[in-house]
Amino acid sequence: MERKALYAGSFDPLTNGHLNIIERAAKMYDSLTVAIAINPHKTGFFTVEERVQIAKEVTKHIPNVKVDTFEGLLADYVNENGFIAYVRGLRATTDFENELQMAQMNARLFTGETETIFLMTDPQYSFISSSLIKEVASLGGSVEGLIAPYTSERIKEKLSK
Ligand code: COA
């Protein structure tokens, strides 16, 4: 049986911190689905289609990574797709309480034996978030090394419009 894992988030956009979690998690499972959450009440910087395109481009070197989207309850998506693991990255202790809450709620909602698995974010990315990247980039600061060059180009393109 294929051991499928899930890594979900807004990924607006996907950063090198996310990519580090993806590369490590992909080695642990037969396949890893990177799923972009569609939130109809929130307008992102990038559209969902653009986020998918970026995620596909920056993960194209990892053969067992798939990119998908989902809307609604994460647990429904997990239950429908038979993931054995839901991977989360922990950046700092400040992430812990929220992650604990979500993991415990999801554990009630998962109908199978899916486990939430935590990977510690590589220290060089522990301070970044997608919002911080967008803020610094939009004000002309350097985000080199924190996002893929492709993503950087897409941000510049978007800001110039
Ligand atoms: N490296 C760099 N940045 C990281 C990171 C890492 N390893 N891990 C997280 N981040 C950043 C993200 O970019 C994000 O930044 P932003 O807030 O500036 O956009 C921030 O940390 C929070 O990330 P995360 O906790 O993954 O939130 P998210 O909004 O990306 O995704 C969902 C959260 C979509 C997975 C969650 O809200 C969900 O499950 N939604 C579906 C509805 C549902 O089922 N709700 C009940 C859950 S119990």
Side-chain angles (χ1 to χ4, degrees):
M1 199 182 73
E2 188 186 353
R3 296 171 68 257
K4 303 197 292 180
L6 169 70
Y7 183 48
S10 310
F11 302 124
D12 186 25
L14 197 142
T15 69
N16 285 354
H18 297 127
L19 187 59
N20 174 258
I21 299 288
I22 293 168
E23 286 172 341
R24 288 158 58 202
K27 289 185 192 148
M28 298 164 58
Y29 301 96
D30 294 331
S31 71
L32 179 73
T33 298
V34 174
I36 295 163
I38 301 173
N39 183 346
H41 307 293
K42 211 169 134 187
T43 321
F45 177 75
F46 286 110
T47 65
V48 172
E49 293 73 26
E50 288 167 337
R51 287 182 234 173
V52 167
Q53 209 176 7
I54 292 170
K56 282 188 176 166
E57 179 65 30
V58 304
T59 61
K60 69 180 180 196
H61 61 292
I62 321 168
N64 63 337
V65 167
K66 303 169 189 180
V67 178
D68 195 10
T69 60
F70 75 99
E71 191 169 348
L73 208 55
L74 175 112
D76 286 342
Y77 178 69
V78 166
N79 296 337
E80 282 156 21
N81 289 280
F83 297 109
I84 64 159
Y86 174 39
V87 176
R88 301 286 300 163
L90 278 182
R91 289 167 298 173
T93 48
T94 42
D95 279 344
F96 179 76
E97 283 197 21
N98 188 35
E99 291 297 335
L100 178 68
Q101 264 191 324
M102 285 203 292
Q104 291 175 336
M105 177 59 86
N106 277 329
R108 293 182 81 248
L109 301 170
F110 293 157
T111 52
E113 294 187 353
T114 314
E115 288 286 354
T116 302
I117 303 289
F118 293 97
L119 293 182
M120 299 302 157
T121 298
D122 194 293
Q124 61 180 312
Y125 305 121
S126 62
F127 62 95
I128 63 172
S129 68
S130 300
S131 304
L132 197 56
I133 295 283
K134 287 178 285 191
E135 184 179 329
V136 172
S138 66
L139 296 171
S142 168
V143 288
E144 201 186 326
L146 302 178
I147 52 173
Y150 175 83
T151 314
S152 184
E153 285 308 311
R154 298 305 303 267
I155 292 180
K156 278 187 207 143
E157 211 177 274
K158 195 93 177 163
L159 289 172
S160 69
K161 279 183 191 164

